[in-house]
Amino acid sequence: MYRKKITLVGGGQIGGILALLAAQKELGDIVIFDIPKAEGMVKGKALDLMQLRPHDGYDSDITGTSDWQDVVDTDVFIITAGIPRKPGMDREDLIEINLGIMQDVAKNIKKYAPKAFVIVISNPLDAMVYAFYKISGFSKNQVVGMAGALDSARFRSFIAMETGFSVQDVSCMVLGGHGDTMVPISRLATIGGVPVAKLITPERLKDIENRTRVAGGEIVKLFGNGSAFFAPAQSAIEMAESFIRDKKRVIPCASLCEGEFGINGYFIGVPTVIGSKGVEKVLEFDLNEDEKLELNKTINAVKKTVAETGL
Ligand code: APR
């Protein structure tokens, strides 16, 4: 059987968990790529994961490398290359260093695997996914950013924690940029189909929305050195799985909008269908006046960060 090839560019905190989750789901064979200085680390992680195989019973091959030649024929890239936040930093503070890294990564992916589907996780996400798209010249179907999947998972978790009901039955979405201006759409949140507004007071719902907006920062503060990795990794794996298995899941993702929601030429978190063709469709729906105002704010924030890339 033909196995898909998944390359994780950046084998640090998120990269390591991505490899574990991709293997446990048997999404394909996995290459963990990192810079030469970190080659030993990714080779070690790969070997460690190979030795976990007897317990989990998966047959994915996992290798570590710092040689771009090894990414040839990759079907899906997940990019976490870059530095994470430290306490007191906004995601935007990472732009200078991570943009330089993204230049290097995008050029090499274009050279060695021009047909691949690419999921970007590196922050500031809205600018990094835009940078990858511009530098690589890939089509808009091939490039997507992981943000809304994570922000929505955080929103879902907080709603489940508040009500005590199963997180499995909580359905909701967060749109917009991956920063403090993101837009949790509480109006459409449900638990088992029951509108969340029937189950949580407006005041508590506002608190939950606000906690969602700064949920990444809450973890950065607790860690003191680095940012979240378990939930970000699983969020990206769900996107990769939808592509590999052509599931056509509808996931809030940073997708290139060309008119949808009145947005033009920017990657913004919107409900996105991911299937074997990559980003297959953005699902539009009517926003109310408050949501439109909030979306406008987030678009302006994204435009500002993107402008800093000079691309
Ligand atoms: N090519 C490949 N890998 C690179 C490159 C490059 N040019 N430059 C840096 N890296 C690698 C680092 O060597 C490191 O192993 O990227 C990895 C990043 O791992 P961590 O520092 O552990 O960061 P992580 O927590 O995984 O977060 C990565 O995702 O969520 C975002 O804000 C976060 O931008 C950060 C990224």
Side-chain angles (χ1 to χ4, degrees), residues 184 205-215:
L205 205 47
K206 274 273 162 271
D207 291 343
I208 292 171
E209 287 175 12
N210 288 334
R211 188 174 180 191
T212 301
R213 288 193 186 95
V214 294

Side-chain angles (χ1 to χ4, degrees), residues 96-267:
E96 215 179 300
I97 295 177
N98 286 357
L99 180 61
I101 292 173
M102 195 53 75
Q103 307 257 11
D104 167 48
V105 169
K107 281 184 195 139
N108 280 297
I109 290 182
K110 180 183 179 169
K111 181 168 173 197
Y112 291 99
K115 295 206 174 99
F117 179 54
V118 177
I119 300 170
V120 178
I121 301 186
S122 312
N123 274 315
L125 188 272
D126 311 292
M128 289 303 110
V129 64
Y130 182 91
F132 181 90
Y133 172 73
K134 285 285 174 183
I135 299 160
S136 67
F138 276 25
S139 75
K140 67 172 187 172
N141 312 73
Q142 279 177 283
V143 184
V144 71
M146 191 295 294
L150 171 62
D151 299 326
S152 305
R154 287 172 167 160
F155 193 27
R156 281 176 72 185
S157 305
F158 294 145
I159 289 175
M161 282 154 69
E162 176 74 13
T163 57
F165 302 138
S166 171
V167 73
Q168 254 188 304
D169 296 317
V170 180
S171 168
C172 59
M173 66 175 130
V174 178
L175 305 184
H178 189 45
D180 303 350
T181 58
M182 67 180 74
V183 190
I185 310 285
S186 292
R187 180 174 60 92
L188 300 177
T190 61
I191 307 180
V194 179
V196 107
K198 291 267 167 222
L199 303 166
I200 303 178
T201 64
E203 297 74 35
R204 284 299 298 152
L205 205 47
K206 274 273 162 271
D207 291 343
I208 292 171
E209 287 175 12
N210 288 334
R211 188 174 180 191
T212 301
R213 288 193 186 95
V214 294
E218 187 179 349
I219 292 175
V220 169
K221 219 163 154 189
L222 289 167
F223 282 171
N225 186 18
S227 50
F229 48 95
F230 290 117
Q234 179 64 351
S235 303
I237 287 295
E238 295 207 357
M239 293 161 65
E241 184 183 21
S242 193
F243 168 75
I244 288 169
R245 306 207 206 282
D246 194 23
K247 284 171 76 80
K248 305 201 191 296
R249 290 201 52 193
V250 181
I251 303 175
C253 298
S255 302
L256 183 70
C257 290
E258 290 179 314
E260 295 92 346
F261 295 96
I263 304 161
N264 236 314
Y266 290 92
F267 283 79

Side-chain angles (χ1 to χ4, degrees), residues 9-15 33-35 38 41 80-85 94 98 101 104-105 121-123 227-228:
V9 182
Q13 295 278 50
I14 303 178
F33 177 93
D34 211 302
I35 50 177
M41 187 258 297
T80 61
I83 55 162
R85 281 197 277 175
L94 307 172
N98 286 357
I101 292 173
D104 167 48
V105 169
I121 301 186
S122 312
N123 274 315
S227 50

